[in-house]
Amino acid sequence: MGVLIWQRGRARLGAVLTASLFVAACSGAATTPAAPTTAATAQPTTAATAAATAPAATTAGATAVDVTLQEWSVAPSLTTIPAGSVTFTAKNVGTEPHEMVVLKTDLGLLELPTGSDGKVPEEGPNLKAMGEVSELAAGVTGSVTLDLAPGHYLLICNIVDADGTAHYGKGMTSAIIVN
Ligand SMILES: [Cu+2]
């Protein structure tokens, strides 16, 4: 009788120990796969954030200059800008077509040479066209991004109307300093 009780007690103890080991093994196994799952979820989130940030940083790197064109003026929002990438966004708020040509030159606002038709040559001594937003109809906006070195620049409208009216000669010129 006494032996039988001892054996039962021992068998019960064995069963409890086995169950404990089994639970420990299970929870251990359950914990291990949980960690990689968390890491895998976190990693794509980080990558997606980095990808979304990259294009924004590129855009933020360019200096933005808004240029208002009308009869008879060229009005940039900034007149002194840092060297490097510059995005000019020109809006024609006038009634006639206008354009915006960026010229690197040391000449003054109305000192540029002009042909017999009143047009400014876009290449020459102390004169170099860097780029342009070509002819915009009334109400239209256009942009151009240029890489500008330090220097003195003029923004002009180089359109000459059929009746011979040269927009530059009418005063469509403005200076920008890049430093
Ligand atoms: Cu014009």
Side-chain angles (χ1 to χ4, degrees):
M1 190 76 171
V3 171
L4 189 64
I5 290 168
W6 182 84
Q7 278 181 335
R8 268 193 202 153
R10 196 188 153 111
R12 212 174 276 152
L13 180 64
V16 169
L17 279 174
T18 306
S20 300
L21 285 172
F22 183 70
V23 168
C26 275
S27 55
T31 309
T32 310
T37 304
T38 309
T41 309
Q43 232 158 355
T45 307
T46 309
T49 306
T53 310
T58 308
T59 308
T63 301
V65 180
D66 291 325
V67 183
T68 304
L69 306 173
Q70 62 189 307
E71 305 79 32
W72 304 102
S73 66
V74 175
S77 59
L78 295 173
T79 53
T80 303
I81 56 175
S85 187
V86 185
T87 299
F88 292 96
T89 301
K91 181 168 191 186
N92 181 2
V93 301
T95 55
E96 293 193 29
H98 293 294
E99 67 179 8
M100 187 209 69
V101 182
V102 180
L103 297 170
K104 188 171 193 300
T105 178
D106 290 324
L107 298 171
L109 287 177
L110 288 167
E111 291 175 1
L112 297 176
T114 51
S116 55
D117 60 353
K119 238 176 138 78
V120 176
E122 295 181 3
E123 223 36 78
N126 195 9
L127 188 61
K128 189 186 182 206
M130 305 303 296
E132 66 177 59
V133 173
S134 48
E135 192 165 322
L136 299 168
V140 176
T141 299
S143 69
V144 65
T145 298
L146 305 172
D147 192 30
L148 300 182
H152 179 264
Y153 295 79
L154 291 181
L155 309 180
I156 71 163
C157 176
N158 208 13
I159 286 178
V160 177
D161 293 332
D163 68 0
T165 303
H167 293 204
Y168 168 69
K170 284 283 209 175
M172 291 196 71
T173 171
S174 195
I176 277 200
I177 305 293
V178 176
N179 56 26

